[in-house]
Structure formats: structure tokens, C-alpha cells
Amino acid sequence: MALSWLILKQLDGGGKELGLQQFSQFLPMALFGAWAGSIADRIDKRRLMILTQCALGAAAMALAWLDLTDRATLPLVLVLSAVSGIASAFDTPVRRSLIGDLVPSSALPNAMSLNTGVMTSSRVVGMALGGYLSKYFGTGWCFLLNGVSYIAMLAALAGLRTRAHQTPASTTGDGVRGALRHVWQTPALRITMLVTTVIATLTFNYGLTIPLMIEKVFGKDSDALGNLMAVTSVGSFVGALTSARRRQPSVHVLMLGGAIMGVGTVALSQSTGMITASFASVPMGFGGGLLMAQLSGLLTSLSPPTMRGRVLALQSVVFIGSTPFGGPVIGWIADHSGPRTGVALGGYAALAAVSVAALSRMPTGLLTRRRST
């Protein structure tokens, strides 16, 4: 949130500049994410995570220093975004596959949903706090607190029992290609990954679309941005908890989440002010949280432990690695046709993806009868 506001207000950027920042930050996931998942199945996860968390913390502190000393420029921001992206490309699949080493297999889908819930609930406080800090003290303090927060993660990693996170080297499949083959040959995973790819590319661009709506359409400040993103995170948190209450993940529930998210996104694009935007952001966040949690549960429950790191890395590539391609497109559309058009495109894309997937899963005989009618 603070990084988007830094680009918009202090560096005089717009949709194109926000798209470039997302391109720099998330392209490494598209390039290295799947390979990093293969590494996660073979090495000591704790040691690798200590390295990646140190790199992420260092990048955050460097950004804080640049901002607080008025040395921040767009090229430097893009470079530090790329550094964070490279570290995240290795950190994300390793961190998520580590969950599988810490909980029993029977509890894994629920654990993944709770993991999503913890992440989204923390954003409720973080977004609101970041908005007020940015308005009254400056975005640099947000980056500084972010850098300091990595100390807690390093302490947690240091406290893990060594035997709890040692996964035997994978002997099944042939690296990333084996994970791709597994996903493609499993119908439930194939359809959900295809739907998620479309939604992640065009709809999951909160860091770009919401700041543009706040600054360009509503004419509000960073505190309003933090509040609206916090409301969205409340919806995501409820969606993740709703998923965690289910014993087994479901393709139908995942597509329901995508449809709810699409409707909420379209409603956000038509909002006339902060009140209506807040009402639209709740279902948008709920649908997104439900979709993410259900996909994590499906991937973990339908994949063997020796392949789990690679499969979860593919999910990260879909969710995060698609952003550098969708972000610049949505940013360009927002600059030329207005932020409302960019937001609406994401909502309609989600609804179209879910509709096509639902029709493809419909029994052939039923579909033929409906067409005849």
C-alpha cells in the first residue's frame, strides 16, 4: 500500500508506473518460482528461508532509507522491487511447503486455509496503519517498520525443531515438468489452475486498481486507501475462514469464490464514493479469499508429499507470476480509459472464466438437453 502511494504521490506516477513496479516485483516469480518449488522439495527449508527473509528485510530497510532521506526515484524503487521479487520467488514456495512438514496430512487443507486467513487478517490492521502513517508521517516509516518486522520471522525460524522441516529428496517425477504433468493430468487441478490464471492476471491487481480509484476517482488521501484495502482484507479473512471450516476443498466452492469476487469487482468499478466502494470491497475480498484458500487445499490434498513444494510453487507462479503481465495491461487501460474501466475488466474476466469452467464441467447430456430447450 505504501509503495503504491509513494509512486503515485511523491514520484508523480500513474497507472503505467504502478504497472512497471508490479512487473519488476513479480516477474522473478514467473521466471524462477517453479524452479524454486523444485528446490523446496530437496533442501533444508529453514536455512533457505533464513536467507530469503534476510534479503527481504534488507530490501525493505534500503527502501526506508531512500524514502526518509528523499533519495527515492522510480528506477531505484524498481531495482529494490526486483530484489524483493527474487527473494520472494524462493521464499514463497518454501514457506508454504514447510506447512506440510509441520502438520498431519489429514489437517493440511485446513492448515493451508488458516494460513491464508492469518495473512489476510494481518492486512486488516497493516493496511489501515499504513494509510495513517503515510498520511501523517510519510511512507518511509511504513518501509522501516516492515524491515524491522522480519526480526520476528527470523526468531520463529530459529525456534523450529530441525527434524520438523526435513523433507526427503523427491524421487518422483522429473522436477518442474513432473509437477506440471501432475496438475494437467488431474482434472480438478487442471480446471482450477486455468480459472485462477485468468483471475490472477486480470482481477487480482488490488495494489494497482484500488490506489488508482482512491487517488484518481475519489480524490482521497492515503488514509482512505488504507481503510478501503483493510475492508477488502476483512472480506478475504472471512472467505479464508469459511474455507477452513470445510473438511474437504471443492472445485465448485472455488468457482463460487471466483464468481463472488467478479461481482464485487464490477460493483467496485461503479462505486460513487467510499461508502459504496466499501460495500463492494467486502464481497470482492471474500470471493478472493475463498478462491485462494480452496485452491491451496486442492493442491495440497491432491498432490503427493514429495511433489508438494513444486505444485505449490506453480500456484505461486499463477497468483504472483501472472501479475507482471496483467498489471501493466490494467495500468495502461486505467491511464487511457479511466480506472473504472480497468477495474471492471478484471471483474468481467473473473465472471467469464468461471462461466466457461462451469460449462466445461457440465455433463454432456445435460448440456445438450439445455441447448435443445
Side-chain angles (χ1 to χ4, degrees):
M1 192 284 301
L3 188 54
S4 297
W5 201 248
L6 170 68
I7 293 173
L8 281 177
K9 301 300 289 185
Q10 294 175 228
L11 304 181
D12 297 323
K16 181 181 70 174
E17 288 75 17
L18 287 178
L20 285 174
Q21 187 275 320
Q22 293 203 340
F23 181 85
S24 301
Q25 182 174 351
F26 299 122
L27 181 63
M29 179 61 75
L31 297 178
F32 310 122
W35 181 52
S38 183
I39 294 177
D41 287 330
R42 290 174 167 83
I43 67 171
D44 188 328
K45 298 179 178 63
R46 185 176 68 95
R47 291 183 179 179
L48 179 57
M49 282 192 65
I50 289 175
L51 292 176
T52 56
Q53 292 292 308
C54 287
L56 288 166
M61 296 300 286
L63 185 58
W65 179 77
L66 289 173
D67 192 1
L68 291 172
T69 58
D70 294 324
R71 290 181 169 88
T73 62
L74 184 61
L76 289 175
V77 169
L78 296 180
V79 169
L80 288 175
S81 294
V83 171
S84 297
I86 294 172
S88 295
F90 289 89
D91 181 83
T92 302
V94 173
R95 172 168 41 81
R96 300 184 69 218
S97 64
L98 180 62
I99 298 175
D101 297 340
L102 299 176
V103 301
S105 298
S106 59
L108 195 52
N110 300 80
M112 297 300 292
S113 295
L114 288 173
N115 177 58
T116 303
V118 168
M119 292 174 61
T120 54
S121 63
S122 65
R123 291 173 186 157
V124 175
V125 177
M127 293 295 184
L129 177 61
Y132 284 98
L133 281 175
S134 298
K135 181 175 181 178
Y136 296 108
F137 298 98
T139 52
W141 289 98
C142 297
F143 305 135
L144 181 62
L145 288 177
N146 181 40
V148 173
S149 71
Y150 285 95
I151 297 175
M153 189 65 177
L154 291 171
L157 289 170
L160 285 180
R161 289 174 294 135
T162 55
R163 288 188 297 178
H165 45 78
Q166 305 229 341
T167 303
S170 174
T171 57
T172 62
D174 51 346
V176 175
R177 286 176 296 177
L180 286 170
R181 187 182 306 113
H182 169 71
V183 170
W184 190 256
Q185 292 176 350
T186 307
L189 297 184
R190 182 174 65 244
I191 191 65
T192 54
M193 288 291 272
L194 290 174
V195 169
T196 305
T197 299
V198 175
I199 295 177
T201 303
L202 298 174
T203 315
F204 268 110
N205 289 293
Y206 297 162
L208 187 153
T209 54
I210 294 182
L212 286 175
M213 288 287 290
I214 290 292
E215 204 262 341
K216 305 293 184 183
V217 178
F218 301 144
K220 299 293 184 179
D221 212 330
S222 60
D223 55 340
L225 172 60
N227 289 337
L228 189 58
M229 295 192 79
V231 170
T232 305
S233 297
V234 170
S236 299
F237 175 61
V238 176
L241 288 187
T242 301
S243 175
R245 289 178 60 87
R246 296 180 56 87
R247 289 190 175 183
Q248 293 295 329
S250 166
V251 176
H252 294 92
V253 176
L254 180 144
M255 290 195 291
L256 176 62
I260 295 173
M261 181 184 183
V263 171
T265 304
V266 173
L268 176 64
S269 71
Q270 303 302 314
S271 299
T272 57
M274 287 298 298
I275 295 178
T276 53
S278 298
F279 279 111
S281 296
V282 173
M284 183 178 72
F286 175 87
L290 186 62
L291 182 144
M292 288 191 296
Q294 285 291 297
L295 180 61
S296 297
L298 285 167
L299 289 173
T300 52
S301 62
L302 298 179
S303 302
T306 53
M307 193 178 290
R308 192 167 290 143
R310 285 167 286 166
V311 172
L312 289 173
L314 290 179
Q315 181 189 6
S316 299
V317 170
V318 167
F319 263 112
I320 303 174
S322 60
T323 303
F325 306 104
V329 172
I330 297 298
W332 183 86
I333 292 173
D335 278 345
H336 289 79
S337 301
R340 293 186 186 275
T341 304
V343 176
L345 175 62
Y348 288 124
L351 292 173
V354 170
S355 298
V356 171
L359 289 174
S360 68
R361 289 178 58 84
M362 190 177 295
T364 306
L366 179 60
L367 184 59
T368 304
R369 289 195 297 271
R370 288 188 176 182
R371 285 175 177 172
S372 300
T373 304

